[in-house]
Amino acid sequence: MTIAATSPSGGKLYRTVVETLRREIEAGRFAESQLLPGERALCELLEISRTTLRKAIAELIAEGVLFHRHGAGTFIHRATPRVDQPSSRLTSFTEDMRLRGFEASSRDLERGVSLPTPDEAMMLSVGLNDRVFRLGRLRLANEVPVAIEHAAVPLRYLPDWERVGPSLYETLTERGHRPTRGLQRLRATLLSDAYAALLGVEPRSPALHIQRIAYLADGACVEFTKSWYRADTYDFVSELTLAPPLRKIRG
């Protein structure tokens, strides 16, 4: 990738740099790290001055193609998948992504057995001395972080918890404990610095905080999950019907 020292527009050389960088980014040249090379390396590669390069980068940041993190460098914005999620269906993240043509993956943040928190004990209807399997994961769609999930399951449903695979619901189903219904509570929130870093967004970015309780067919609670979804990746959709008018009671 080389740009001549002059361009047809003379003083508008940086426009050529903007278009060249944009083309190389779209072609996936920097896809491995998403970190743009340093100024010195880019100036040598493009055969331009730092002033021209900085002007071009500033324009790409304004367009949203790049973003800068103080002390870390300039990064490339990945294409962010956007998901329409029906709020009337109980599905797993893996199933949601598969149905929409995205490749789902996860990175474990926490995986193990411990005593429940008071909140978990109340939601799962277990004793404070009972043990639960706790699973915290960073959820990705097409390698883009979109959500953080912290799930708790009574250990009696997953005694072989070490074998839990990519989908918690699929594992529960294989063990004969398929969730059949659930209750969800959604609210708007702002991400903490730690969660924002995991999701690749700015601190205090908006997010959807979701609490879900899933039940078995016999009414027993099998899962309690807290999730934080990036607000720019998820739309929750509900189908509504107009209730029939109330009949007047004649005395």
Side-chain angles (χ1 to χ4, degrees):
M1 175 175 63
T2 304
I3 296 177
T6 59
S7 70
S9 54
K12 296 296 183 180
L13 173 61
Y14 87 96
R15 292 296 315 166
T16 307
V17 179
V18 168
E19 295 305 320
T20 301
L21 283 175
R22 184 186 290 111
R23 183 173 63 250
E24 294 298 321
I25 288 168
E26 291 175 353
R29 183 180 179 94
F30 311 110
E32 289 186 2
S33 68
Q34 297 297 313
L35 175 65
L36 207 64
E39 286 187 354
R40 181 175 179 179
L42 278 176
C43 286
E44 292 177 356
L45 187 64
L46 299 170
E47 298 182 1
I48 56 174
S49 68
R50 289 198 175 191
T51 300
T52 300
L53 177 65
R54 288 172 180 172
K55 190 173 182 180
I57 287 177
E59 180 159 329
L60 289 172
I61 289 175
E63 292 178 6
V65 177
L66 303 173
F67 67 98
H68 185 74
R69 287 183 184 166
H70 183 69
T74 302
F75 293 81
I76 299 162
H77 266 302
R78 293 180 178 180
T80 304
R82 192 165 191 95
V83 177
D84 284 343
Q85 171 60 39
S87 58
S88 58
R89 294 179 60 237
L90 181 61
T91 55
S92 69
F93 179 87
T94 303
E95 183 181 356
D96 287 341
M97 296 304 105
R98 187 185 298 138
L99 290 172
R100 288 157 182 79
F102 299 131
E103 181 181 353
S105 58
S106 301
R107 297 175 191 165
D108 280 4
L109 304 175
E110 177 186 18
R111 179 185 287 257
V113 174
S114 62
L115 297 177
T117 64
D119 198 22
E120 291 168 346
M122 179 178 65
M123 294 296 182
L124 294 170
S125 297
V126 298
L128 291 173
N129 292 322
D130 291 330
R131 293 191 300 165
V132 298
F133 168 60
R134 190 175 287 116
L135 180 61
R137 290 176 291 180
L138 177 65
R139 306 293 253 166
L140 303 96
N142 290 350
E143 295 300 316
V144 177
V146 296
I148 294 169
E149 290 183 351
H150 287 281
V153 176
L155 192 59
R156 62 180 177 272
Y157 297 124
L158 289 172
D160 54 348
W161 58 269
E162 300 94 339
R163 298 184 181 181
V164 172
S167 172
L168 178 60
Y169 275 22
E170 286 182 6
T171 303
L172 285 168
T173 299
E174 291 169 1
R175 305 303 187 271
H177 306 302
R178 177 179 177 81
T180 59
R181 69 180 184 91
L183 296 175
Q184 283 195 156
R185 181 186 298 272
L186 290 76
R187 64 178 174 84
T189 189
L190 298 176
L191 291 169
S192 66
D193 291 358
Y195 279 8
L198 286 170
L199 291 171
V201 297
E202 294 296 321
R204 309 290 292 171
S205 290
L208 290 172
H209 176 55
I210 303 171
Q211 283 194 178
R212 181 177 65 220
I213 308 171
Y215 298 90
L216 301 176
D218 64 3
C221 183
V222 69
E223 173 217 13
F224 173 51
T225 295
K226 293 182 179 181
S227 305
W228 290 260
Y229 285 81
R230 282 174 49 173
D232 62 339
T233 61
Y234 257 74
D235 292 325
F236 282 83
V237 181
S238 298
E239 181 179 353
L240 306 177
T241 58
L242 187 64
L246 295 175
R247 294 182 178 179
K248 293 183 179 181
I249 299 176
R250 296 181 179 179

